[in-house]
Amino acid sequence: MVALPGDGPLAAELRGRGARVETCPTPVLRKSALTPRGALRLAGDLLTGIRPAWRLLRRTGSGPVYVNTQTLPLWPLLARVAGRPVVLHVHEAEDRAPAPVRLALALPALAARTVLVNSEYSRSVLAAVLPRTGARAVLVDNGVGGPPSTEPARSRLSGPVQLAFVGRL
């Protein structure tokens, strides 16, 4: 069972692989929340997201809840209150963000039984804000390895440059 904040290509892909997908509005921690308008929107998203998330958690049993990012602060907290074990996967490492932002990103980890981090760097950023939580975090390397070999970069560009960018979901 996968809960997503909206329908889109990921939902179709998951359904195609046999997952049950439900859309559930949820607040997302973004830098825009640092503005007065953004803070109001985040508060509104929190209020509108609590009831559907709570119903979904209560309806789907007592098993663990895996939260794939710490930018969805409602899920770890509600799952913990519902008595569900929480696994939080930390991909973020906002070490240059203002202290309140780093704290807001880290707080959902307090509700998690297990915290996974994708790098030692992510762990160090988490530990700087929540030392005990960072210390107990488990490193799970990203699942995509690098190429078997590389070629050195060209010393000089000639002709058009083609660039492909691949980011995370």
Side-chain angles (χ1 to χ4, degrees):
M1 209 317 273
V2 179
L4 297 174
D7 207 10
L10 178 59
E13 180 71 24
L14 289 165
R15 286 184 186 105
R17 293 176 180 257
R20 193 171 103 224
V21 177
E22 292 199 29
T23 57
C24 191
T26 190
V28 179
L29 293 178
R30 294 187 171 97
K31 290 178 184 170
S32 63
L34 296 173
T35 66
R37 177 181 277 171
L40 284 174
R41 181 173 182 187
L42 179 62
D45 290 347
L46 278 166
L47 292 174
T48 59
I50 288 175
R51 181 174 284 153
W54 180 255
R55 276 190 256 155
L56 184 61
L57 285 167
R58 302 302 291 167
R59 194 173 69 238
T60 56
S62 60
V65 174
Y66 171 79
V67 182
N68 189 36
T69 175
Q70 63 190 138
T71 63
L72 302 175
L74 189 58
W75 286 102
L77 177 62
L78 287 179
R80 175 79 180 253
V81 170
R84 308 272 299 265
V86 178
V87 177
L88 177 64
H89 200 158
V90 176
H91 303 271
E92 298 78 16
E94 297 289 337
D95 71 331
R96 295 200 173 139
V101 172
R102 291 192 316 267
L103 180 61
L105 280 171
L107 284 176
L110 293 175
R113 178 182 290 177
T114 303
V115 177
L116 307 175
V117 293
N118 70 338
S119 67
E120 285 297 340
Y121 184 69
S122 292
R123 183 198 319 257
S124 71
V125 171
L126 179 62
V129 179
L130 300 173
R132 286 188 195 157
T133 303
R136 69 180 175 85
V138 177
L139 174 64
V140 176
D141 287 323
N142 284 328
V144 179
S149 63
T150 61
E151 294 181 23
R154 295 176 288 177
S155 60
R156 185 174 289 203
L157 292 177
S158 60
V161 175
Q162 295 181 352
L163 174 71
F165 172 78
V166 179
R168 71 180 188 92
L169 292 173

